[in-house]
Amino acid sequence: MENALISICIPTYNGEKYLQEALDSVTKQTYKNIEVIISDDASADATLEIAENFKQQAPFPVSIFKHEPAGIGANWDHCIEKATGEWIKFLFQDDILEPNCLEEFLKVQQKTGEHVFFCKRMIIDSIGKDISDTSYIADLQKRILPDLADYMVFSKKDLKLIGKKKALSHNFIGEPVAGFVSKSAYLKTGLHNPMLRQLLDLEYNLRLLRNFNIVLINEKLVRFRVHPEQTTQQNRRKNINEHLILDHYIIRNYYKYLGRAAILGYFYERFGLLKNLRGKIPF
């Protein structure tokens, strides 16, 4: 385990603007037993040229796969399928790994023996400036874990911490770039949901939670870039809203672990007439 192979999975699509910076952060890792899997969704810019140059210079194995687009989740799954490492570390074309990222994940893994880990992240803008202090997504776990220690082993029973109506499908775990997951956990959990476009990462994390605890690490080990071309921002401009779908999923699968406020909040939101009973329900 101390020298486990880690597969850094990089799904790409027209990522020439930031890709080199992402790849440079891989080269700077203090943990060296790695391979890189680049899975490209038919990019029409210089993405593949940048990737090929990186492959020629890298002191570790780099594999590049090209295919026709079949959805964002399908590209993620393609990366996992091609990875040969025991551990999967996603890195997206516009994000950055801190130099000690892999090393720190492995340290916590050795302490806990768990399969799924998520860290905190620095929020940066299009030019790499730290905007964590002004971003509403700066600390995803804070709404339910305001006093997170060095790390916390989060299990299904801890879903009771989701108390507010709007927090039910709030991503309190993290984006894939903040994750560090064993390949065996991915294989057991299955493919990403092709029907979702915005919250497929949260839905997948909740499926991971069925069979695995999720270790939340109180350290910023990645930099998550927010910019207008980002898929999340494009989906927001298209008014893609999948929160009710995820709310229903959480209620259906984790009802017995949730607190009263979260359950009532869901039904108030889903059935408008119940709002007239707010504060009058005796349980």
Side-chain angles (χ1 to χ4, degrees):
M1 185 64 67
E2 291 184 0
N3 197 38
L5 177 63
I6 299 174
S7 298
I8 300 180
C9 292
I10 309 177
T12 58
Y13 176 69
N14 290 344
E16 64 178 5
K17 187 172 183 179
Y18 302 111
L19 180 58
Q20 188 61 58
E21 193 173 1
L23 295 174
D24 288 344
S25 76
V26 174
T27 305
K28 294 175 183 177
Q29 288 302 297
T30 56
Y31 186 82
K32 300 301 183 182
N33 191 20
I34 61 176
E35 67 170 2
V36 172
I37 306 295
I38 298 175
S39 176
D40 186 73
D41 260 357
S43 290
D45 62 1
T47 293
L48 287 172
E49 180 182 348
I50 295 169
E52 291 288 355
N53 288 338
F54 175 74
K55 179 178 180 177
Q56 295 303 316
Q57 299 174 19
F60 40 74
V62 177
S63 299
I64 302 172
F65 300 94
K66 311 163 194 175
H67 49 81
E68 290 302 313
I72 184 172
N75 202 9
W76 299 356
D77 292 330
H78 192 261
C79 283
I80 296 168
E81 176 190 349
K82 298 299 184 181
T84 65
E86 184 178 351
W87 294 92
I88 305 291
K89 179 73 198 79
F90 270 105
L91 171 62
F92 292 87
Q93 62 193 22
D94 43 9
D95 298 328
I96 298 170
L97 304 180
E98 298 293 358
N100 64 336
C101 177
L102 303 181
E103 182 179 355
E104 293 303 316
F105 270 119
L106 277 177
K107 284 180 181 178
V108 179
Q109 195 284 323
Q110 290 164 10
K111 291 178 182 178
T112 63
E114 299 289 350
H115 284 259
V116 183
F117 303 81
F118 279 82
C119 67
K120 303 216 172 188
R121 68 273 192 280
M122 179 192 297
I123 308 298
I124 59 174
D125 64 11
S126 58
I127 61 173
K129 179 182 177 182
D130 183 0
I131 57 170
S132 301
D133 289 342
T134 60
S135 174
Y136 74 98
I137 60 168
D139 191 343
L140 295 178
Q141 295 90 24
K142 188 173 183 180
R143 292 177 66 176
I144 62 169
L145 298 168
D147 300 314
L148 183 62
D150 290 345
Y151 64 85
M152 173 187 178
V153 180
F154 190 96
S155 67
K156 290 187 286 289
K157 65 180 178 58
D158 294 308
L159 287 170
K160 64 180 181 293
L161 297 171
I162 302 177
K164 297 180 180 179
K165 175 184 65 175
K166 292 183 179 179
L168 193 56
S169 58
H170 161 73
N171 189 349
F172 60 91
I173 299 173
E175 303 87 359
V177 70
F180 182 76
V181 182
S182 70
K183 181 164 182 178
S184 61
Y186 274 123
L187 293 177
K188 186 177 180 67
T189 304
L191 302 177
H192 287 82
N193 188 335
M195 304 303 293
L196 296 175
R197 297 170 62 187
Q198 178 71 8
L199 296 179
L200 70 166
D201 53 348
L202 174 58
E203 189 268 349
Y204 197 88
N205 291 343
L206 290 167
R207 277 196 278 140
L208 281 168
L209 194 59
R210 289 183 186 175
N211 297 302
F212 303 96
N213 295 326
I214 296 179
V215 181
L216 302 175
I217 301 174
N218 193 15
E219 185 173 356
K220 296 178 180 179
L221 299 176
V222 300
R223 301 184 191 184
F224 179 73
R225 194 186 303 268
V226 176
H227 59 92
E229 296 83 22
Q230 184 183 33
T231 301
T232 298
Q233 301 304 322
Q234 293 177 14
N235 287 340
R236 287 203 177 108
R237 289 194 291 273
K238 296 174 184 176
N239 293 318
I240 294 175
N241 189 337
E242 297 168 340
H243 285 283
L244 281 179
I245 298 173
L246 264 292
D247 286 350
H248 182 64
Y249 176 88
I250 294 170
I251 289 290
R252 186 176 71 247
N253 291 279
Y254 297 107
Y255 183 91
K256 66 180 180 180
Y257 301 106
L258 297 171
R260 174 181 179 274
I263 295 170
L264 290 179
Y266 166 79
F267 284 104
Y268 287 146
E269 185 72 14
R270 190 169 180 82
F271 304 104
L273 291 177
L274 289 179
K275 291 182 179 180
N276 297 328
L277 300 176
R278 188 185 296 272
K280 299 177 183 179
I281 298 178
F283 55 85

